[in-house]
Amino acid sequence: MPSPQAVNIFVIVIITLLGAYFLYHKFTEKKGVTHKVDPKIAKYSLIKIREYILETFNKFTNVDLNDMRLTDEEYSRLKSKRLELKSALKGCSNGDLNDKTYVKTFIYDALNKTYDLNETNINLVIPFDNRKKLSIQDKFEILLFKYKKKYGFDALTRLILDHNLDELKSEIENGETESYIINEQEISDIFNYEYKNLTFDEKLQIIVQRVYQNMKGFGVIDEIRDMRIDGVSGGVSGIPESFMHVVGDYDSYSQQLKPSTEPKASDSVWIFFGGKLINLAFLSFGSEHELRRVGQTIYKHNNPGQLSESNGYKVNDMKDGSRVVVVRPKLAETWAFFVRKFDSNISTLETIITDKNAQLPINLLMFLTKGERITAITGPQGSGKTTMLMAMIKHIYGWHSLRVQEMAFELRLRKIYSQRNILSFRETDTVSGQEGLDLQKKTDGAVNILGEVASDPVAAWMIQMGQVASLFTLFTHHGKTFNDLVFSLRNSLLKQNIFNNERIAQEQVMQVINFDIHLRKDFDGHRYIERITETGTDLDAKELGSNVIEYKDGEYVVGSALSEKSISEMKDRMTPSDAEKFSAFLKENWG
C-alpha cells in the first residue's frame, strides 16, 4: 500500500506530463508545426507522386545511354524515345494537344507500372471512395473527366447546358449585382446526382491529369482551356496579393488584423461561353505563386520574348491557334491572363446569323464580298467580329490572293481554306504592323484582311491602302457607331500627319470605307448584326451613313436602298451570274 506522500507525487507527475502534452500540441498548432506522417501513407500523396514523376523525367532525359550496355537497336529506340519526351515536355505547355497526350501517357505508364498503386491505396491519393472527403476541385474534375469520355471537347459545353449553369443569377452574395456565376453548391449537387463508381483505370487517369496540370500544364484551367468554348481567363477578380495588408477585420482580443475571407486574385477563374462571361467561383489556383506560374507558362509558344516588369504584357498565339494575353505587375495590379479561342468549325454566315429573316443580311454580306466592297466589321469585344470576318472570307472569289495582317495569329484562314492563296503576317518586336502592311504590297496580294485596326499607324495605312494598293479590304474595329468609326479613322490620319485639314481627312475616310457591319451582344450572350450601314456623301450630315439593314424586334428588316454608285460598282466586279442574282435580291427586298 503506497504512502499518501507517494500518491501525491505520482498525481503531480501525471498532471505535469498531461500539461506538457497539451502545451506542446497547442504550441505546434499555433506555430503550424506538422506531425510526422506514416511514410507508407505519405507515398500516396499528390506531392510525393509529383516528386516521383519529376525524378523519373530527369532520370530518363539525362541518363547516359552509353553506360547502359545496350544493343544498337535498344540504343536507337531509347534515344528516339528520349528525344520525343524532351520535345513533348517543351511543346505541351504551348497548347499542343498531341504533346500533352504524350506526356500524360508517360506519366500513366510510370505510375501504373512502377508506383505500386492498387484498388485500395489509390484512394489515398484522391479519396474516390469517400464523397464527403472529396474537394470541390476533385468533384469538378471527375465530372469533366466523365463528360469528356462521352462528349470529347464539348464536355464543358454539355455539362453547362445540361444543368442550366449559364443562367443569370440575381441573388448574389454581398449585395452584388446580377452575374453569371457557377458556385460550389451547384457542382456538388450535380456530382451527387451523377457520380458513379470509377474503375481503377479511370481513377488513375484523373490522378495523371492532376499531376500533369500542376507540373507542366496550366493548373486548374488546363482541361478547361482545351474545351470548345470562347475563352478562359484568370486573375481578373478577387483581392490582389499586394492589397491583402489593407483588408480584413481587426481582432481586439489579439490586437491583430484577421485575414480577409474575401476571394483572392488566385481564386479567379472565368470562362467566355456562348457570349457570356461566367465566373467559376468554385475553382481556385490555390496561391499567387500558382497563378504566376500559369501566367509565365501560357504565352511561351514560339519564344515571344521575356515578360518582365519593364515589359509588363505579352500578346501571342498558342499552338492550337488560341490568342493569349498575359499581364503582370507593375503594369497590372496582379498577374492575369486571357485566352481567346476561335473555332474554325463555325465558319459560315448561316451558322452565326440565325435570327428571323436571317437570309436578308446573309445574302447582302455575300454580295458585298463578291462586289469587292471595303467593309468594316465593328462592335464591342466578344460580339463575334473575328468569327464574322472568317465567315465572310468564304465568299471572296477563289482566284483572288489574300494577305492577312494581325497582332497575333487568330484567323488561321489556311486551316479553313487550305486550297486558297493566303499568307498571314503579324506584328513582332522588330517588325511593326505598318511595316507588315507595307511588305504586303510586294507579295502579289489582291485582298487585304486586317484582323484589327487598333493603332493610328495601321488605321492610316489602311486608308491609304484602300485607295491604291489592293482590290478591297476587310477589317475589324471597335467603333460604337458609324460616326465613331469615321471620326476615329479621320483622327488617325491627322495624328500621323498625313493630312492637316480635318475636313479633307474625313472626306478621304468616307471615300474609302464603303460599308460597316456593326455587331452587338446582349447580356444573355445573344449575338446579332445590329445594322449594316452604307457610307454617305454629305460630310456635314448628322449621320454620316444610312442603314440598309437593321435588327428590330428580333428580326432583320430592310432600311434605305443601296446607292446607285455602289450597285453599279458591285455588279462590275461580280461574275455575270452573281450580278443577276444581286439584281434579283435588290428587286425582291427594295423594289
Side-chain angles (χ1 to χ4, degrees):
M1 188 69 159
S3 66
Q5 185 178 5
V7 172
N8 289 338
I9 293 173
F10 177 77
V11 170
I12 291 170
V13 170
I14 294 298
I15 292 173
T16 302
L17 289 174
L18 286 173
Y21 175 81
F22 285 116
L23 283 172
Y24 168 76
H25 279 273
K26 186 175 182 180
F27 173 78
T28 55
E29 287 175 7
K30 185 176 181 180
K31 298 295 184 182
V33 177
T34 55
H35 303 289
K36 290 184 178 180
V37 179
D38 186 344
K40 294 181 180 179
I41 297 177
K43 175 183 177 181
Y44 300 105
S45 69
L46 284 167
I47 293 175
K48 289 295 183 182
I49 290 176
R50 181 183 174 187
E51 290 175 354
Y52 174 76
I53 294 299
L54 280 172
E55 184 181 351
T56 303
F57 280 149
N58 290 332
K59 284 182 178 178
F60 189 77
T61 55
N62 295 318
V63 66
D64 189 347
L65 299 181
N66 294 314
D67 294 338
M68 298 180 66
R69 298 180 181 179
L70 303 171
T71 65
D72 289 345
E73 183 181 349
E74 290 172 335
Y75 179 88
S76 297
R77 186 170 64 251
L78 274 178
K79 185 178 181 181
S80 176
K81 285 186 176 181
R82 186 165 70 175
L83 289 174
E84 283 182 327
L85 179 60
K86 284 184 175 180
S87 176
L89 287 170
K90 183 178 180 181
C92 64
S93 298
N94 297 332
D96 190 317
L97 296 181
N98 292 325
D99 285 343
K100 174 180 175 178
T101 301
Y102 187 93
V103 173
K104 286 177 63 176
T105 301
F106 187 96
I107 297 172
Y108 180 95
D109 289 341
L111 295 179
N112 193 36
K113 296 175 181 177
T114 64
Y115 207 74
D116 190 33
L117 286 170
N118 57 44
E119 294 282 358
T120 302
N121 61 33
I122 197 170
N123 296 310
L124 296 173
V125 185
I126 294 176
F128 297 104
D129 59 341
N130 190 333
R131 295 189 183 194
K132 293 181 180 180
K133 290 185 178 181
L134 287 169
S135 70
I136 194 65
Q137 181 182 343
D138 296 333
K139 294 177 180 179
F140 174 71
E141 290 179 356
I142 291 171
L143 280 172
L144 194 60
F145 171 81
K146 297 294 281 187
Y147 269 77
K148 188 177 178 182
K149 284 190 72 175
K150 191 172 183 179
Y151 301 112
F153 294 125
D154 288 318
L156 186 56
T157 297
R158 291 301 299 259
L159 177 61
I160 290 173
L161 295 181
D162 287 355
H163 299 280
N164 301 316
L165 296 176
D166 61 336
E167 291 185 349
L168 189 66
K169 293 181 175 64
S170 56
E171 296 181 7
I172 306 297
E173 293 181 4
N174 302 327
E176 294 185 22
T177 187
E178 299 168 312
S179 180
Y180 293 102
I181 186 170
I182 303 175
N183 56 46
E184 288 190 18
Q185 189 60 52
E186 290 175 302
I187 296 300
S188 291
D189 290 344
I190 296 169
F191 179 83
N192 291 334
Y193 177 74
E194 294 204 0
Y195 181 69
K196 296 178 181 178
N197 290 334
L198 300 166
T199 65
F200 174 82
D201 181 71
E202 289 175 329
K203 293 176 182 178
L204 183 55
Q205 288 186 58
I206 292 168
I207 291 170
V208 166
Q209 172 59 34
R210 180 72 67 85
V211 172
Y212 168 83
Q213 69 190 32
N214 291 335
M215 186 171 61
K216 298 297 294 183
F218 307 125
V220 292
I221 65 136
D222 189 79
E223 285 285 79
I224 294 172
R225 196 214 69 87
D226 298 342
M227 296 292 113
R228 210 168 269 127
I229 56 176
D230 297 328
V232 59
S233 57
V236 294
S237 61
I239 301 173
E241 193 78 12
S242 58
F243 293 2
M244 293 307 295
H245 69 287
V246 295
V247 295
D249 296 323
Y250 185 75
D251 188 339
S252 58
Y253 178 77
S254 64
Q255 296 187 350
Q256 292 180 347
L257 193 67
K258 293 190 295 185
S260 172
T261 57
E262 293 294 321
K264 303 178 182 64
S266 56
D267 299 326
S268 167
V269 178
W270 294 67
I271 60 171
F272 196 28
F273 175 81
K276 306 171 185 177
L277 270 173
I278 303 177
N279 182 5
L280 304 189
F282 60 91
L283 273 186
S284 171
F285 288 95
S287 67
E288 185 81 7
H289 178 270
E290 175 67 358
L291 174 61
R292 183 168 62 249
R293 182 192 72 82
V294 174
Q296 289 174 324
T297 303
I298 202 166
Y299 75 93
K300 291 292 184 66
H301 177 52
N302 279 338
N303 301 315
Q306 190 63 36
L307 183 64
S308 62
E309 284 192 6
S310 58
N311 181 24
Y313 76 95
K314 282 292 177 182
V315 181
N316 198 19
D317 60 291
M318 303 185 76
K319 186 68 178 288
D320 64 350
S322 302
R323 181 189 70 201
V324 59
V325 178
V326 181
V327 296
R328 59 157 295 167
K330 303 176 179 178
L331 174 65
E333 58 191 351
T334 184
W335 282 84
F337 63 85
F338 310 83
V339 178
R340 281 296 307 276
K341 307 192 73 179
F342 304 97
D343 190 354
S344 59
N345 294 319
I346 307 175
S347 57
T348 67
L349 295 175
E350 288 79 7
T351 56
I352 60 179
I353 306 175
T354 57
D355 287 286
K356 188 176 180 180
N357 207 17
Q359 207 57 43
L360 178 63
I362 288 173
N363 286 331
L364 180 58
L365 296 187
M366 290 169 52
F367 290 125
L368 291 181
T369 308
K370 293 177 182 295
E372 299 178 4
R373 297 297 84 191
I374 297 177
T375 304
I377 303 173
T378 59
Q381 290 185 346
S383 57
K385 296 187 297 297
T386 300
T387 306
M388 180 68 72
L389 181 59
M390 293 165 67
M392 289 180 66
I393 288 168
K394 176 182 179 181
H395 302 285
I396 297 174
Y397 288 124
W399 56 82
H400 290 323
S401 57
L402 278 62
R403 299 295 175 258
V404 185
Q405 181 70 37
E406 303 177 82
M407 188 174 183
F409 294 134
E410 298 175 2
L411 294 171
R412 304 282 176 176
L413 296 179
R414 281 162 70 162
K415 181 179 178 182
I416 309 170
Y417 310 112
S418 58
Q419 300 299 316
R420 303 194 62 162
N421 185 324
I422 301 174
L423 186 62
S424 298
F425 300 86
R426 68 172 179 181
E427 296 182 41
T428 68
D429 292 337
T430 55
V431 180
S432 67
Q434 187 176 8
E435 289 177 296
L437 287 168
D438 195 27
L439 176 64
Q440 288 187 24
K441 290 190 296 186
K442 303 173 181 65
T443 62
D444 303 321
V447 182
N448 287 99
I449 310 295
L450 300 184
E452 183 177 354
V453 175
S455 66
D456 292 329
V458 171
W461 207 101
M462 188 275 298
I463 294 297
Q464 296 176 74
M465 180 176 60
Q467 293 174 307
V468 295
S470 63
L471 294 178
F472 70 104
T473 302
L474 300 177
F475 67 96
T476 69
H477 193 278
H478 285 292
K480 295 180 180 179
T481 67
F482 183 73
N483 283 12
D484 289 339
L485 171 66
V486 172
F487 295 154
S488 175
L489 296 174
R490 176 201 67 187
N491 293 341
S492 294
L493 292 176
L494 295 172
K495 291 177 185 177
Q496 294 301 113
N497 295 317
I498 296 172
F499 293 98
N500 294 320
N501 185 286
E502 186 177 281
R503 187 177 179 84
I504 294 175
Q506 181 175 321
E507 183 179 7
Q508 290 296 310
V509 172
M510 293 177 65
Q511 285 179 357
V512 169
I513 306 299
N514 302 133
F515 287 86
D516 172 30
I517 304 162
H518 189 73
L519 308 182
R520 281 288 301 274
K521 182 189 73 171
D522 287 343
F523 72 92
D524 61 354
H526 174 227
R527 294 165 170 153
Y528 58 95
I529 299 173
E530 183 182 56
R531 56 176 172 78
I532 299 177
T533 305
E534 181 181 8
T535 308
T537 56
D538 186 356
L539 272 66
D540 299 315
K542 183 178 179 181
E543 296 296 333
L544 300 176
S546 56
N547 297 337
V548 295
I549 290 178
E550 295 179 309
Y551 183 83
K552 292 182 177 180
D553 300 323
E555 67 175 311
Y556 293 103
V557 297
V558 297
S560 303
L562 276 68
S563 67
E564 289 299 324
K565 181 175 182 291
S566 285
I567 294 172
S568 175
E569 291 179 352
M570 289 170 68
K571 287 182 177 179
D572 286 344
R573 289 162 174 77
M574 294 180 189
T575 62
S577 61
D578 282 334
E580 288 183 14
K581 293 175 184 176
F582 181 46
S583 295
F585 169 73
L586 293 173
K587 185 176 181 180
E588 178 184 355
N589 293 285
W590 282 275

